[in-house]
Amino acid sequence: MRVLYYSPDNDAAHWVPELQAALHAVELPALVQAWQSGMPPADFCVVWKPPQALLDEQQSPKAYFVTGAGVDSLLTLRFPAGVPVIRLDDAGMAVQMAEYVTQAVVRYFRGLAAAEAAMRAGVWQLPAVRSRADFTVGVLGLGVLGARVAQALAAFEFPVLGWSRSPKQLAGVRSVHGMAQLPQFLQQVQCLVCLLPLTPETDGLLNAERLALLPRGSYLINVARGAHVVDADLIAALDSGQLAGATLDVFRTEPLPPEHAFWQHPRITLTPHTSARTLRSESITQIVRKMHAVLHGQSVAGVVDPNKGY
Ligand code: NDP
Ligand code: OXD
């Protein structure tokens, strides 16, 4: 069996031998190689942000595996017709996302940033105590990551409201679905978490009109994709006090350009797209398990639906 690996992140030196060893361990002997133009057809391709040339050359693998959860960067590429594209589902990301979002929510709920700033200024001042019942957290997207985040927040006894395309039932989480329910959803949440995939429908979803529906003084946590947010509308909402703060892990352009207004904004907390990292060992284990399933004609989770774009 032949497997090709490609990522612009220059990490083939780790992925290639580890993938080969993992395949060998489950008795799927394979030659795994970093992709170069002109290679013979592979049985599987494992890729992140591949060039179109790779897809044009590799027209008949049994599947393309993507080493991330979001596939928006692939939507403009032309994949060979009929070849499944399979993304990571969880593979160790959900627990990371749950811990990142929970810390950001708790930081806002408990007023920790203001308390730390006061201490740095030599002032001993207790933050106001909020009522948990009045701090509803709204999670946009109740997929693999959003569901785990919503349930982690519910375990901390926050009222949690979720929004998705199709109906969901999650213990401890009230949920609504569909575009028609979005305005009412937004009106109820003090802290909004975005965990949607980036698709033509969700691009720019968090614009001035929708941010204005949140109760005054709400918070935004965006851990999905930068383009879900209209940057200028977010800045305006923060400057007017409509939003009290935003935590942003993802940006329209990454790395965030040095001149971008987000860097210096006093009410924005920034992190460098690190809320849920691709964990190589967990990802390889999942990909190898799915390769085995595909070879045996079994169905696998995480197959991208080209019509939905995620
Ligand atoms: P999933 O595909 O499992 O879940 C997506 C969720 O969004 C589903 O609940 C889906 O609804 C909902 N959704 C999609 N489109 C719409 C819409 N138009 N209206 C309402 N709901 C919609 O994705 P994951 O949970 O695995 O990942 C979510 C995103 O997180 C990724 O696409 C990626 O962009 C981002 N991400 C960010 C990382 C980071 O480090 N910052 C790391 C990993 C991922 P339904 O269930 O009904 O289909
Ligand atoms: C992903 C990401 O989509 O890292 O996996 O953002």
Side-chain angles (χ1 to χ4, degrees), residues 86-118:
I86 304 171
R87 69 184 188 92
L88 291 181
D89 68 302
D90 189 350
M93 286 189 190
V95 66
Q96 297 178 70
M97 203 51 108
E99 67 196 10
Y100 179 100
V101 172
T102 302
Q103 66 78 30
V105 170
V106 169
R107 219 170 145 69
Y108 288 137
F109 175 63
R110 299 288 298 272
L112 296 181
E116 285 163 14

Side-chain angles (χ1 to χ4, degrees), residues 93-198:
M93 286 189 190
V95 66
Q96 297 178 70
M97 203 51 108
E99 67 196 10
Y100 179 100
V101 172
T102 302
Q103 66 78 30
V105 170
V106 169
R107 219 170 145 69
Y108 288 137
F109 175 63
R110 299 288 298 272
L112 296 181
E116 285 163 14
M119 292 298 268
R120 268 196 305 275
V123 179
W124 182 278
Q125 190 181 346
L126 291 173
V129 175
R130 287 174 185 267
S131 153
R132 200 174 293 263
D134 296 335
F135 201 80
T136 296
V137 185
V139 182
L140 296 168
L142 291 176
V144 176
L145 304 182
R148 179 69 176 264
V149 164
Q151 291 193 302
L153 292 164
F156 276 96
E157 300 177 18
F158 288 104
V160 182
L161 189 56
W163 182 72
S164 52
R165 182 199 289 265
S166 56
K168 301 280 175 222
Q169 283 200 323
L170 289 172
V173 178
R174 280 187 301 136
S175 60
V176 295
H177 63 280
M179 216 38 103
Q181 297 288 324
L182 185 59
Q184 272 177 298
F185 167 94
L186 292 172
Q187 283 161 359
Q188 296 175 64
V189 306
Q190 277 70 40
C191 187
L192 180 66
V193 178
C194 181
L195 264 167
L196 291 166
L198 182 65

Side-chain angles (χ1 to χ4, degrees), residues 177-287:
H177 63 280
M179 216 38 103
Q181 297 288 324
L182 185 59
Q184 272 177 298
F185 167 94
L186 292 172
Q187 283 161 359
Q188 296 175 64
V189 306
Q190 277 70 40
C191 187
L192 180 66
V193 178
C194 181
L195 264 167
L196 291 166
L198 182 65
T199 66
E201 282 176 8
T202 65
D203 197 330
L205 188 87
L206 299 177
N207 59 15
E209 186 192 336
R210 298 221 171 78
L211 295 176
L213 291 170
L214 295 166
R216 192 167 173 79
S218 301
Y219 299 91
L220 171 68
I221 299 167
N222 186 17
V223 280
R225 287 293 183 262
H228 286 123
V229 174
V230 178
D231 293 4
D233 293 358
L234 173 60
I235 299 271
L238 288 162
D239 288 346
S240 71
Q242 167 58 12
L243 285 188
T247 295
L248 307 176
D249 184 53
V250 286
F251 309 93
R252 283 175 177 264
T253 305
E254 294 182 359
L256 185 64
E259 68 283 3
H260 199 288
F262 286 167
W263 283 107
Q264 301 303 335
H265 200 286
R267 293 191 183 156
I268 297 182
T269 301
L270 302 172
T271 52
H273 199 140
T274 191
S275 50
R277 307 284 288 270
T278 293
L279 303 177
R280 193 168 58 246
S281 169
E282 283 86 339
S283 303
I284 287 176
T285 301
Q286 181 174 108
I287 289 169

